[in-house]
Amino acid sequence: MLYLDNSATTKIHPEVREVMLPYLLEEFGNPSSKYYNAAENAKIAVDNSRKSVAKLIGCHSDEVIFTSGSTESNNMFLKGVAHYYSSKGKHIITSKVEHPSILETCNFLEKQGFDITYLPVDNFGRINISELVESLRNDTILVSIMWGNNELGSLNDIKTISDICANHNIYFHTDATQVVGKIKIDLEDFKGITFLSCSSHKFHGPKGIGAAFIRQDEYRVLTPITPLLHGGGQEKEIRSGTLAVHNIVGLGKAAQIASNDLNLNIKNLKDCEKYLSELLSTKFGANIKFNHDHKLKIPGILSVQFKGINNEILLKKLAPIIAASTGSACSSSKPSHVLSAIGLTLDEIRSTIRFSLSSYTKKEELDIFKSL
Ligand code: PMP
C-alpha cells in the first residue's frame, strides 16, 4: 500500500524508534528528579532534544517549550495571550483557513467576549496583506496566521506578516505544523514571530509531542502568557506536567534528521510532486483540476479535483493500494472549510482528494498511478 497521507501523519523514522526505546525501558527517570543516574540521564536527553529542535527552526534552545503537539500549542498561545493581555485589548486576527485547533479556540474566546477577525483568503488560500493591515486596531493583541496550509499546501507571506506585526508592536503567532522539515526556517530572519507551533508526528517523529517556540527578549525573558496547564512548574512554568522523555527524545532525533537532510528532502518532495502531477495530468487530462498553486507552496501536497467523482467513494476504492484523504484528517466528515473559503462549490469540494508525499516517497512507487 502506497501511503500518501503524510499531512495527516508520517511513519516514524527507524532511527527515531531506536533512540526512544531506552527511555521507555531502562532510562525511565523523571528529569525533574535529582542526583541519581536515571534522572540525570533523562534530563541530559531532554536538553539535547531541545537543542535539536532549536537548530531545526533557528532559535535559542531556551525558547523551546515541549507540549503534546500543535493542538495544545495553538490553544496555549491563543488562550494564553487572550487571558494575559485582555486588559490591553480583546481583538485577535486570524484567517478563515486555519486548522480547527485555531478556529475552535477562537470560537471559544468569542464566547468569552473577545473580538475575532477572520481574514478571507485568495483562490489558493493565502491572506491578502493589505487586508491584514486594514484590520489592525489599537486593541489588537495577537495575529495568528498559519505558515502553510494543510489542505492546499499554500504558503503565506510570513516574512511580510512578521515585519508588519513587529512594526506595529503586535504579537504574531504562526502555526508551522505543516512546514517544519519541508521548508527552511530560521527564526532569526523572522523577528516579528513571537510564537510558533509545530508537531513531531508530521516529520517522522512520535505522536503526542510537539514544540512551542516563545521568543525571548534581550534579557532572555520569554514573552509572558498565561499557561494552559498549571501544576508542577515544568517547562519554565509555562507547561506543567511530567515530561514525556521518550517522546521528547524521539522528537529531538526527528528534528536532527530533518535538519541534516533538509535540502535533500525538499528536492525529493519537489521531484516527486512534479512527477505525480505529470502522471495525473497524463492519465486523467481534463477530468482533473488542481486546487493548489504550483508556486509558493509546501512541497509534496497536492489537492486534486476528480470531476464528477465522489471523493469518499474514490478513497474507499483506492484504500487497498493508495492511502490518501479528502483533506484534513481532523474534520473529514464535514465539507472542508478551507476549500469552501477558496470559493469551491460543494460538488467541487466533494470531488477533491489530497495526496501528501513524504521525504521518503520514491518516484517508482508513484508509478502505481499508471495502472489505475
Ligand atoms: N495545525 C495544522 C496546520 C495541522 O495540520 C495539524 C494536524 N493535522 C494541527 C495543527 C494539529 O496538530 P497535532 O496533531 O499535533 O495536535
Side-chain angles (χ1 to χ4, degrees), residues 7 69-71 74 99 101 146 150 175 177-178 199 201-202 330:
S7 288
S70 288
T71 298
N74 289 345
H99 187 264
S101 54
M146 71 199 323
N150 45 315
D175 178 353
T177 310
Q178 291 289 342
S199 186
H201 72 104
K202 305 290 186 185
C330 316

Side-chain angles (χ1 to χ4, degrees), residues 226-286:
T226 302
L228 190 63
L229 302 179
H230 297 87
Q234 289 90 343
E235 297 296 271
K236 304 195 172 75
E237 304 202 355
I238 290 163
R239 203 279 185 180
S240 286
T242 301
L243 296 184
V245 180
H246 59 297
N247 265 347
I248 292 171
V249 167
L251 162 59
K253 188 68 186 176
Q256 192 191 61
I257 297 169
S259 290
N260 291 345
D261 299 347
L262 188 64
N263 292 335
L264 216 72
N265 290 346
I266 292 174
K267 183 175 177 334
N268 185 57
L269 283 166
K270 282 188 177 166
D271 287 351
C272 285
E273 178 186 321
K274 187 164 175 279
Y275 190 61
L276 179 54
S277 301
E278 286 164 2
L279 280 180
L280 290 170
S281 300
T282 310
K283 178 101 195 165
F284 299 102

Side-chain angles (χ1 to χ4, degrees), residues 96-123:
K96 288 188 173 170
V97 297
E98 300 293 314
H99 187 264
S101 54
I102 294 287
L103 293 177
E104 291 303 319
T105 307
C106 285
N107 186 17
F108 171 81
L109 289 172
E110 270 179 318
K111 289 182 187 134
Q112 297 195 343
F114 288 88
D115 189 8
I116 318 280
T117 298
Y118 299 91
L119 294 175
V121 290
D122 67 13
N123 288 347

Side-chain angles (χ1 to χ4, degrees), residues 39-315:
E40 293 298 331
N41 291 346
K43 189 176 171 333
I44 293 167
V46 167
D47 288 347
N48 286 336
S49 292
R50 212 183 291 282
K51 285 184 192 135
S52 300
V53 171
K55 185 164 178 243
L56 179 63
I57 57 176
C59 68
H60 195 281
S61 59
D62 286 344
E63 296 173 307
V64 174
I65 299 293
F66 293 118
T67 68
S68 66
S70 288
T71 298
E72 181 186 326
S73 300
N74 289 345
N75 269 265
M76 174 177 86
F77 288 133
L78 289 173
K79 293 174 187 167
V81 169
H83 290 145
Y84 198 90
Y85 299 95
S86 63
S87 59
K88 196 171 161 244
K90 292 203 152 196
H91 182 228
I92 294 172
I93 300 170
T94 187
S95 85
K96 288 188 173 170
V97 297
E98 300 293 314
H99 187 264
S101 54
I102 294 287
L103 293 177
E104 291 303 319
T105 307
C106 285
N107 186 17
F108 171 81
L109 289 172
E110 270 179 318
K111 289 182 187 134
Q112 297 195 343
F114 288 88
D115 189 8
I116 318 280
T117 298
Y118 299 91
L119 294 175
V121 290
D122 67 13
N123 288 347
F124 295 122
R126 290 187 194 103
I127 65 152
N128 179 312
I129 297 296
S130 50
E131 281 175 328
L132 167 67
V133 174
E134 278 159 30
S135 66
L136 293 172
R137 308 193 320 214
N138 286 338
D139 63 339
T140 306
I141 49 172
L142 181 70
V143 171
S144 178
I145 301 290
M146 71 199 323
W147 199 312
N149 186 270
N150 45 315
E151 295 192 37
L152 293 161
S154 33
L155 294 168
N156 273 306
D157 182 355
I158 293 297
K159 178 74 180 121
T160 304
I161 302 171
S162 157
D163 290 347
I164 289 168
C165 290
N167 291 340
H168 286 81
N169 242 329
I170 293 173
Y171 292 153
F172 173 36
H173 164 248
T174 186
D175 178 353
T177 310
Q178 291 289 342
V179 297
V180 169
K182 292 185 205 133
I183 63 168
K184 183 159 174 49
I185 296 182
D186 186 351
L187 287 169
E188 267 298 302
D189 298 336
F190 297 87
K191 292 281 188 201
I193 296 181
T194 330
F195 309 112
L196 174 145
S197 313
C198 67
S199 186
S200 147
H201 72 104
K202 305 290 186 185
F203 54 97
H204 304 281
K207 295 173 184 53
I209 188 77
F213 159 80
I214 304 184
R215 192 170 291 281
Q216 62 184 9
D217 65 13
E218 66 264 42
Y219 308 106
R220 299 179 65 178
V221 176
L222 293 181
T223 310
I225 56 170
T226 302
L228 190 63
L229 302 179
H230 297 87
Q234 289 90 343
E235 297 296 271
K236 304 195 172 75
E237 304 202 355
I238 290 163
R239 203 279 185 180
S240 286
T242 301
L243 296 184
V245 180
H246 59 297
N247 265 347
I248 292 171
V249 167
L251 162 59
K253 188 68 186 176
Q256 192 191 61
I257 297 169
S259 290
N260 291 345
D261 299 347
L262 188 64
N263 292 335
L264 216 72
N265 290 346
I266 292 174
K267 183 175 177 334
N268 185 57
L269 283 166
K270 282 188 177 166
D271 287 351
C272 285
E273 178 186 321
K274 187 164 175 279
Y275 190 61
L276 179 54
S277 301
E278 286 164 2
L279 280 180
L280 290 170
S281 300
T282 310
K283 178 101 195 165
F284 299 102
N287 294 321
I288 61 159
K289 186 172 177 235
F290 295 108
N291 297 324
H292 61 264
D293 189 4
H294 291 275
K295 297 168 292 201
L296 287 175
K297 69 184 290 293
I298 307 170
I301 297 182
L302 296 94
S303 174
V304 193
Q305 280 178 46
F306 289 83
K307 293 181 189 167
I309 295 179
N310 179 283
N311 54 8
E312 293 287 345
I313 294 173
L314 182 56
L315 279 182

